[in-house]
Amino acid sequence: MKTTISLTINGKPRTVAVEPRLSLADLLREELRLTATHLGCEQGVCGACTVLIDGEPARACIALAITLDGAEVRTLEGLADDPLMSTIKAAFQEKHGLQCGFCTPGMLISSWDLLKRKGALSEAEIRVAMSGNLCRCTGYQGIVRSIKAAADQRPAAAPEAAR
Ligand code: FES
Ligand code: FES
């Protein structure tokens, strides 16, 4: 039996009827056609499906949509015009932060959250902070270089207060 929930996705109010076991990732990808959120392991391990739920990074594959009544969800599509995200994307392009690109949406969201929260970052701090995002191409050198470059070039407004 479906339950109707109302939530905000990328700033737009949405009302949807969901089955009890529908994941947020499947709601985004299959029903709302927001396919920037990738699915890898589908068990909360790889981070490919990372989105922001009420401003915090979360695994969309293990978040049940039915629990998100009233929540605010932001996906990579919802950060398309964000200056910090633009800086991060450019750095990933310039520093070879992606190979197949499968892990990239999760990497971008997690690094955006990291750069929002933290000031100067060493390579070691980036590695620790990003350890919840796996790259099956093992392109970690380029990913860390990209995030470091973005951290060094980020817009003046970031970072925000640390959580
Ligand atoms: S697909 Fe969600 S953590 Fe891997
Ligand atoms: S670039 Fe292929 S999984 Fe990371």
Side-chain angles (χ1 to χ4, degrees), residues 97-104 107 134-140 143:
L98 64 152
Q99 294 176 55
C100 78
F102 206 87
C103 67
T104 309
M107 293 287 179
L134 305 182
C135 173
R136 62 188 179 182
C137 298
T138 68
Y140 296 106
I143 290 167

Side-chain angles (χ1 to χ4, degrees), residues 59-162:
R59 312 292 212 206
C61 69
I62 52 171
L64 291 176
I66 201 166
T67 66
L68 296 174
D69 191 39
E72 189 185 337
V73 174
R74 194 158 290 269
T75 69
L76 193 56
E77 289 96 338
L79 291 168
D81 299 326
D82 178 85
L84 176 58
M85 184 56 87
S86 300
T87 300
I88 297 170
K89 283 181 186 169
F92 268 68
Q93 213 167 5
E94 189 188 331
K95 302 288 182 188
H96 306 292
L98 64 152
Q99 294 176 55
C100 78
F102 206 87
C103 67
T104 309
M107 293 287 179
L108 294 175
I109 295 264
S110 293
S111 55
W112 183 89
D113 172 71
L114 175 64
L115 299 196
K116 274 280 187 205
R117 289 184 290 111
K118 301 280 187 188
L121 283 162
S122 68
E123 189 180 313
E125 288 170 321
I126 292 171
R127 286 183 184 275
V128 170
M130 295 297 294
S131 59
N133 287 78
L134 305 182
C135 173
R136 62 188 179 182
C137 298
T138 68
Y140 296 106
Q141 302 285 14
I143 290 167
V144 172
R145 257 198 314 270
S146 303
I147 297 170
K148 182 85 176 79
D152 295 342
Q153 300 158 18
R154 67 185 125 186
E160 288 175 354

Side-chain angles (χ1 to χ4, degrees), residues 15-84:
T15 297
V16 283
V18 297
E19 296 283 357
R21 294 200 56 79
L22 183 74
S23 71
L24 173 60
D26 284 342
L27 173 66
L28 293 170
R29 289 181 55 84
E30 305 298 330
E31 303 201 15
L32 303 177
R33 311 307 296 167
L34 292 168
T35 53
T37 301
H38 286 181
L39 274 170
C41 66
E42 297 193 58
Q43 49 187 301
V45 176
C46 74
C49 65
T50 304
V51 297
L52 299 166
I53 299 178
D54 294 331
E56 304 276 347
R59 312 292 212 206
C61 69
I62 52 171
L64 291 176
I66 201 166
T67 66
L68 296 174
D69 191 39
E72 189 185 337
V73 174
R74 194 158 290 269
T75 69
L76 193 56
E77 289 96 338
L79 291 168
D81 299 326
D82 178 85
L84 176 58

